[in-house]
Amino acid sequence: MSQLRSLGRSGLLVSPLAFGGNVFGWTVDEATSFRLLDAWVDAGFNLVDTADVYSRWVPGHAGGESETIIGKWLKQSGKRNRVVLATKVGKPMGEGKSGLSPAYIREAVEASLQRLQTDYIDLYQAHDDDTATPLEDSLGAFDELVKAGKVRAIGASNYSAPRLAEALDISERLGIARYESLQPLYNLYDRAAFEDALEPLCVEREIGVINFYALAAGFLTGKYRSEADAAKSTRGASTTQKYLNARGLRILDALDKVAQQYNAKPGQVAIAWQIARPSVTAPIASATSLVQLEELVVATQLKLDAGTIQMLDGASAEGAA
């Protein structure tokens, strides 16, 4: 059973790791998705993160595939009360369907509720900042959903520190629902974007952090160590250029050493490092098989000592020799 953590000031209690639902209906079929969700909840985890746009990038997909599978599973399993369900709005879903205008938020939430076959969403997140819509308007629409009981809490994804701070100030001034969580890019390789300005803000304002790409699209598992490794996978090829460099390989080397010391795998160490960071509530990671899911579960039980965390911090520091 995992130790539950508070998500910001929302009152939601979440497991220390979130299951990334982008794989449902994309690299995982419906039957396997059901098995993975059952195993996740049965292992004592409750946070499942998806978005209306998953998996619109797949040829022939319209978006909504992941939510639809989760909805069927919720209905069939009867486990809605054991899940903290997080989804998102704002990425393009077709003509006129994008952004955070009040009218579109109202339309999109109904579509998500229908696909998810539930009457409430635990955490409804703005998938992207929409600079064309005043923050007051978007937050006002989100607040209506909270008051109506359709949404329990709201969160932000891909916001800059100044914009997140501005949104929080507006909510405070108007006395309306505030973003209780942030979903930023964060992992052992991608550190600066979060740590420089967003992390201090989240700590100061008590914002929960559920970071995506916890394993750097699979790079931190150690399976892509050369151009040749990366070429073997669709996902690998697209991540190669960014991570396959001296710093990336130095991080893998440090993960290998710690993994050996703790009798674990590099990816498990990478996740344990994030879970140990006080500002992080629950990293998001995906699994496409029960074996991978079990590895994620074990990663949450890995307690790294201070010296090990310091070593990983040093190895992954930007600009380190």
Side-chain angles (χ1 to χ4, degrees), residues 46-285:
N46 64 1
L47 185 53
V48 176
D49 177 76
T50 186
D52 56 5
V53 77
Y54 299 164
S55 47
R56 194 175 159 79
W57 58 85
V58 178
H61 284 201
E65 289 79 13
S66 172
E67 287 186 336
T68 299
I69 284 177
I70 292 169
K72 285 181 181 175
W73 171 75
L74 287 172
K75 185 164 187 172
Q76 188 180 301
S77 68
K79 292 177 181 172
R80 177 65 187 94
N81 64 341
R82 294 173 64 187
V83 175
V84 174
L85 194 53
T87 192
K88 310 179 202 76
V89 56
K91 292 257 190 214
M93 281 287 282
E95 204 173 330
K97 295 185 174 188
S98 71
L100 299 173
S101 73
Y104 181 58
I105 287 173
R106 290 183 203 112
E107 179 191 335
V109 77
E110 296 303 334
S112 284
L113 287 166
Q114 201 171 353
R115 285 189 293 263
L116 291 163
Q117 300 196 46
T118 181
D119 51 9
Y120 69 98
I121 290 161
D122 295 293
L123 180 66
Y124 200 39
Q125 302 157 97
H127 208 154
D128 275 321
D129 186 6
D130 174 9
T131 51
T133 303
L135 282 164
E136 287 90 341
D137 293 357
S138 302
L139 290 163
F142 281 130
D143 184 63
E144 284 173 25
L145 299 181
V146 174
K147 288 195 168 81
K150 291 179 181 182
V151 168
R152 290 177 69 192
I154 59 169
S157 176
N158 300 310
Y159 273 55
S160 67
R163 286 284 286 178
L164 180 59
E166 189 185 343
L168 294 169
D169 290 344
I170 287 167
S171 291
E172 203 169 304
R173 190 179 77 241
L174 299 178
I176 57 176
R178 70 166 202 159
Y179 289 139
E180 290 294 350
S181 64
L182 174 70
Q183 190 166 142
L185 164 67
Y186 188 58
N187 55 56
L188 259 173
Y189 188 101
D190 300 292
R191 291 181 59 181
F194 173 65
E195 290 180 11
D196 290 354
L198 285 164
E199 185 176 40
L201 174 67
C202 289
V203 171
E204 184 196 338
R205 306 292 283 267
E206 295 178 79
I207 304 295
V209 174
I210 51 175
N211 52 296
F212 64 88
Y213 272 6
L215 290 171
F219 176 75
L220 296 174
T221 64
K223 67 179 173 185
Y224 308 122
R225 293 173 188 260
S226 67
E227 299 275 352
D229 289 342
K232 292 174 198 163
S233 127
T234 318
R235 201 177 182 190
S238 59
T239 60
T240 312
Q241 304 322 110
K242 180 174 179 183
Y243 300 119
L244 269 181
N245 52 41
R247 181 167 163 259
L249 295 172
R250 188 175 66 243
I251 292 169
L252 289 187
D253 187 47
L255 286 171
D256 286 340
K257 285 181 181 142
V258 177
Q260 200 173 0
Q261 185 190 336
Y262 282 84
N263 193 22
K265 297 192 169 186
Q268 293 173 319
V269 174
I271 284 174
W273 175 84
Q274 291 166 65
I275 290 173
R277 197 167 186 92
S279 62
V280 172
T281 313
I284 301 167

